[in-house]
Amino acid sequence: MRLSKLLPFTLATAFCLHLQAQNPPDLPFEPDATSAASTRAGQIEAARKAKAASIPPVKPHVVMEKGESAVTKGFNIWNFTQVGTHGLSLKLGGLAIGSGLGFGPEYVLKRGELYNPRLVWDSYAIGSFQGYYRLQSALEFPRLLRDRGFFSITALRFDYPRLAYYGPGPDSRITGYSDYRMQDNDLEIRGGFRPWNKSFRVGLVGGFQGVTIGPGTRPGYAHTDELYPVTQARGDDRAATFLSGGFFLQFDTRDSSGDPHAGTYLFAQFQNVNGSRRSLGGFNQYDFDAQHYFHYWNKRRVIATRIKATLTTPHPGTFVPFYLEPRLGGSDDLRGFRPYRFYDQNAVVATAEYRWTAVEALDMALFADAGKVYHDSDTLSLSHFQSDIGVGFRFKSRDSVPVRLDIGVSREGVQIWLNFYNVF
């Protein structure tokens, strides 16, 4: 090869070798400031991930872990035995307020679809260590006449040995406590139809009630007929029988009757109640119940509102027996007051609750109750209106609330209620 041709090739090769010496093989060029910053951020992120991977996950304490597992299993068992199934199970609650823990066997028989049956037979026997008991059997046909009609018959017997009575009217005093015993044999027949859609119901109701009133069994306290002689004339220890009949209207758009988060519920019922003899009394009774549920955040926040009233008007020349009068106080209405704290011929109560989902199986609630009993329209006023506030815990299972704990505070102190059904 001629020297004139070899010289340019030699110079080019030398220049390339010089560049290779200035730049390592893994860095073929000098990065600019932006590229350097990106590489540094990537190195920091990689170091952070490596450190996080090296840290072992935090495990809950063994007691907490086992406790959570036990609660989960318990609710699974409750789901299986209580929600939508049939057969033998354990029933909790269902006695008078203040009776202590009631429990006993329950048997449910269903025919047709499990969650939409054509026949339901539900029977149970429950009692408490304080001597209260209740026996009940109900037969229901919820889908008659091409799902337009329904019919049910319920028979029950209970014995409540200590029911509180503080005297009549809204100004009764807590120091006026007395107790009485009430034994009852009851039969109710209810039937009707859905004239337009499944949300609306109209029907008839009739019943028989055999009541025996006697002295309470709580030692050291006055019996009701001793402390309030007027009650003896209006409900002595002889058996009293009552016949009743009337009609009802119901409108229900709630998304779930056991644990509603949306919708409206309206109920109105009229009954004419007559004692088997004039000395037992007779009256008309009007029951009203209105509920509405405001929800947001995908139904995980709910404002539940309710107004409920029971009004009675005695027949001319007669009266309402004190043990059949409407009453307020306890776990279902004025939750800051003792059970059956107020009695009179009429009662009205309003409740508002703010409910939110704390965890998947637990809802919490802040509530306020306000209500009053009164004798007649002439005594209806805002005076002696009772109120309370409180906090609640609702342990959930599918579309129901099998366990509810409420703590209510009023001018008469603090009341704690454990129940096995939702308040509304």
Side-chain angles (χ1 to χ4, degrees):
M1 181 179 294
R2 296 177 64 176
L3 182 61
S4 59
K5 293 184 179 180
L6 181 60
L7 183 59
F9 175 79
T10 304
L11 293 175
T13 303
F15 183 74
C16 291
L17 292 174
H18 174 73
L19 289 178
Q20 187 175 8
Q22 296 294 322
N23 298 287
D26 56 340
L27 270 179
F29 60 91
E30 185 71 22
D32 58 16
T34 304
S35 299
S38 301
T39 303
R40 181 60 178 164
Q43 292 174 348
I44 294 174
E45 179 65 17
R48 186 191 67 78
K49 290 182 178 180
K51 184 178 180 180
S54 65
I55 300 176
V58 179
K59 293 184 178 181
H61 191 274
V62 63
V63 175
M64 294 294 293
E65 188 175 14
K66 290 185 178 297
E68 184 179 355
S69 176
V71 170
T72 302
K73 290 179 180 178
F75 277 110
N76 288 339
I77 294 173
W78 187 280
N79 265 339
F80 180 75
T81 60
Q82 297 291 329
V83 183
T85 63
H86 59 86
L88 185 65
S89 63
L90 175 67
K91 182 174 179 63
L92 299 175
L95 296 173
I97 302 173
S99 61
L101 177 62
F103 61 94
E106 179 179 21
Y107 184 79
V108 179
L109 174 67
K110 294 184 178 182
R111 288 291 180 262
E113 301 176 21
L114 187 60
Y115 291 94
N116 192 21
R118 294 189 174 276
L119 180 149
V120 180
W121 177 43
D122 186 355
S123 299
Y124 62 81
I126 53 177
S128 73
F129 293 110
Q130 298 186 27
Y132 294 71
Y133 74 83
R134 181 185 180 104
L135 312 174
Q136 180 170 313
S137 183
L139 183 64
E140 181 183 4
F141 299 90
R143 299 173 55 194
L144 297 175
L145 305 175
R146 297 181 180 179
D147 291 351
R148 290 290 184 180
F150 56 90
F151 175 83
S152 67
I153 179 169
T154 303
L156 67 89
R157 173 179 173 79
F158 67 74
D159 185 354
Y160 297 157
R162 293 186 296 276
L163 293 178
Y165 187 75
Y166 296 87
D171 56 351
S172 61
R173 297 183 178 274
I174 197 170
T175 54
Y177 173 86
S178 68
D179 67 357
Y180 64 96
R181 182 174 190 167
M182 183 174 182
Q183 298 169 293
D184 192 352
N185 296 294
D186 202 342
L187 178 70
E188 182 187 83
I189 299 175
R190 187 178 293 265
F193 63 98
R194 307 174 185 88
W196 299 298
N197 55 50
K198 293 183 179 181
S199 300
F200 186 76
R201 290 187 174 196
V202 58
L204 302 176
V205 58
F208 165 84
Q209 192 171 11
V211 183
T212 300
I213 301 297
T217 61
R218 187 171 185 178
Y221 288 86
H223 301 317
T224 296
D225 58 354
E226 296 173 350
L227 199 58
Y228 303 97
V230 66
T231 62
Q232 187 173 17
R234 296 186 174 186
D236 55 26
D237 58 358
R238 295 172 296 175
T241 57
F242 298 88
L243 292 174
S244 61
F247 63 90
F248 64 90
L249 303 171
Q250 177 181 304
F251 177 76
D252 189 358
T253 62
R254 294 173 298 176
D255 55 352
S256 168
S257 59
D259 184 23
H261 286 68
T264 300
Y265 176 81
L266 302 174
F267 178 80
Q269 179 173 279
F270 164 80
Q271 290 190 89
N272 182 3
V273 183
N274 290 280
S276 59
R277 57 183 185 275
R278 189 175 181 84
S279 61
L280 296 176
F283 56 96
N284 294 331
Q285 179 169 317
Y286 308 85
D287 295 289
F288 304 96
D289 191 351
Q291 307 170 22
H292 188 72
Y293 302 85
F294 304 89
H295 63 90
Y296 56 100
W297 281 8
N298 198 25
K299 297 185 180 180
R300 297 178 69 88
R301 301 288 187 271
V302 179
I303 298 176
T305 58
R306 182 187 199 184
I307 299 177
K308 186 179 180 180
T310 298
L311 314 176
T312 62
T313 55
H315 297 163
T318 184
F319 58 92
V320 182
F322 81 95
Y323 50 85
L324 297 183
E325 285 181 336
R327 42 201 161 180
L328 293 178
S331 62
D332 297 338
D333 38 63
L334 293 179
R335 285 167 280 184
F337 293 84
R338 295 183 179 184
Y340 310 129
R341 179 62 181 82
F342 303 100
Y343 283 69
D344 216 323
Q345 289 186 172
N346 305 281
V348 58
V349 63
T351 295
E353 290 196 352
Y354 171 62
R355 304 170 181 172
W356 71 95
T357 301
V359 294
E360 211 52 44
L362 173 66
D363 279 1
M364 296 187 65
L366 299 176
F367 64 80
D369 308 316
K372 179 183 179 179
V373 297
Y374 61 96
H375 192 69
D376 52 36
S377 58
D378 295 334
T379 60
L380 178 59
S381 67
L382 293 180
S383 63
H384 296 102
F385 226 85
Q386 310 297 335
S387 61
D388 61 59
I389 58 174
V391 59
F393 303 86
R394 313 296 158 76
F395 300 93
K396 302 171 61 177
S397 176
R398 291 187 183 175
D399 293 329
S400 65
V401 178
V403 182
R404 168 172 60 96
L405 177 66
D406 286 334
I407 304 172
V409 182
S410 72
R411 62 179 179 84
E412 293 187 350
V414 178
Q415 302 294 326
I416 300 176
W417 309 103
L418 177 64
N419 291 279
F420 299 94
Y421 56 88
N422 204 359
V423 59
F424 67 91

